[in-house]
Amino acid sequence: MRIFVTGASGWIGSAVVPELIGAGHRVSGLARSAASAAALTEAGAETVRGTVDDLDVLRGAAEASDGVIHLAFKHDIAFSGDFQGAAEADRRAVDTFGDALAGSGKPFVLASGLAGLAPGRTATERDMPSVDGSPASVRAATSLAALDLAARGIRSSVVRLSPTCHGEGDNGFMATLVGIARAKGVSGHVGDGANRWPAVHRLDAARLFGLAVEKAPAGSVLHGAAEEGVAIRDIAEVIGRHLRVPVASVATEDAPAHFGWLAGFLGTDAPASHALTGELLDWRPTRPGLLEDLDAGHYFKDAGA
């Protein structure tokens, strides 16, 4: 298959591209910079220059492909105060892909998220996000729209990723927590820290995207959650041990001052199962779990630990 990938040089995309090439697929990737284009070329992929805002570019690349994996999201503006703008750009891209692929039977795989799906209980692939008009629900509505593309003759699926897709080189939530602990001199968790996050290694996530584009049935919801739930307190304890700083509870009302933008996520309890995904696609994660990955030490290189 010839597969077009957006976000191809990003954290997940840079693992998905070699996964696809290793499986015998031809890959073209969207690159918004010369550095991204060079990385794709080095990985063995073809380059399509543009951004997710270049809808004509997206349309042409989709029409020339045998399938699309859409990983790109404007995280730069999303986490600097304009999440709604990022989500609206994402929706325009998905609508463009839908128009380009309609009636073709080709696969379209969208990356989405698990955070906030079913707070306080274990989410399954049968759970659907609520759409209430908030900025976050704009992205949720896009995931539902992607599933609806099945009715337009597209083999669409949505991969809901864990809040942390960990691995060496990660600059996401785990790296942020390490940085906060280093700066504050304490490894904190909100309240008793018993709340849980699902987790997945980026290489296991890459394998799931490969399976999805190859064989996920139309309208499939897939969970990229290798581990159902890792307690935030346990994460804080590993970080504290490696940085040689104390581990302490941070009161809910003090969390914004301590954790900054991460506070709103860190106190949530959001376990998620991948049982149905495993049955459907025979996805069997094999990479290290989150705590093992943290213990490997690569998150703490700057600290000399």
Side-chain angles (χ1 to χ4, degrees), residues 170-248:
D170 176 19
N171 288 312
F173 285 157
M174 289 302 107
T176 300
L177 276 177
V178 170
I180 292 171
R182 183 183 293 126
K184 300 284 187 179
V186 60
S187 181
H189 53 77
V190 178
D192 64 7
N195 58 297
R196 302 150 293 171
W197 276 10
V200 65
H201 194 284
R202 69 188 285 257
L203 297 181
D204 282 324
R207 177 61 182 146
L208 179 56
F209 279 102
L211 291 170
V213 78
E214 289 171 351
K215 61 182 183 179
S220 299
V221 173
L222 309 168
H223 277 189
E227 295 179 279
E228 188 171 288
V230 182
I232 300 299
R233 180 179 58 239
D234 293 340
I235 295 169
E237 288 174 352
V238 175
I239 293 173
R241 184 171 69 252
H242 277 267
L243 294 181
R244 300 180 180 87
V245 300
V247 178

Side-chain angles (χ1 to χ4, degrees), residues 16 22 26 37 76 86 101 127 132-133 136 142 164-166 168 170 172 186 196 202 204 212 242 246 270 285:
V16 170
R26 291 179 60 193
D76 51 346
L101 299 175
D127 286 308
D132 57 13
T142 298
T164 177
C165 294
H166 56 90
E168 188 161 6
D170 176 19
V186 60
R196 302 150 293 171
R202 69 188 285 257
D204 282 324
H242 277 267

Side-chain angles (χ1 to χ4, degrees), residues 16 97 139 148 172 207 230 238 250 265 277-278:
V16 170
F97 287 132
R139 194 177 190 191
D148 288 343
R207 177 61 182 146
V230 182
V238 175
V250 176
F265 299 96
T277 299

Side-chain angles (χ1 to χ4, degrees), residues 41-60:
T41 299
E42 184 177 353
E46 300 171 22
T47 298
V48 176
R49 290 300 298 267
T51 74
V52 291
D53 292 319
D54 296 323
L55 302 184
D56 287 340
V57 172
L58 301 186
R59 184 179 296 105

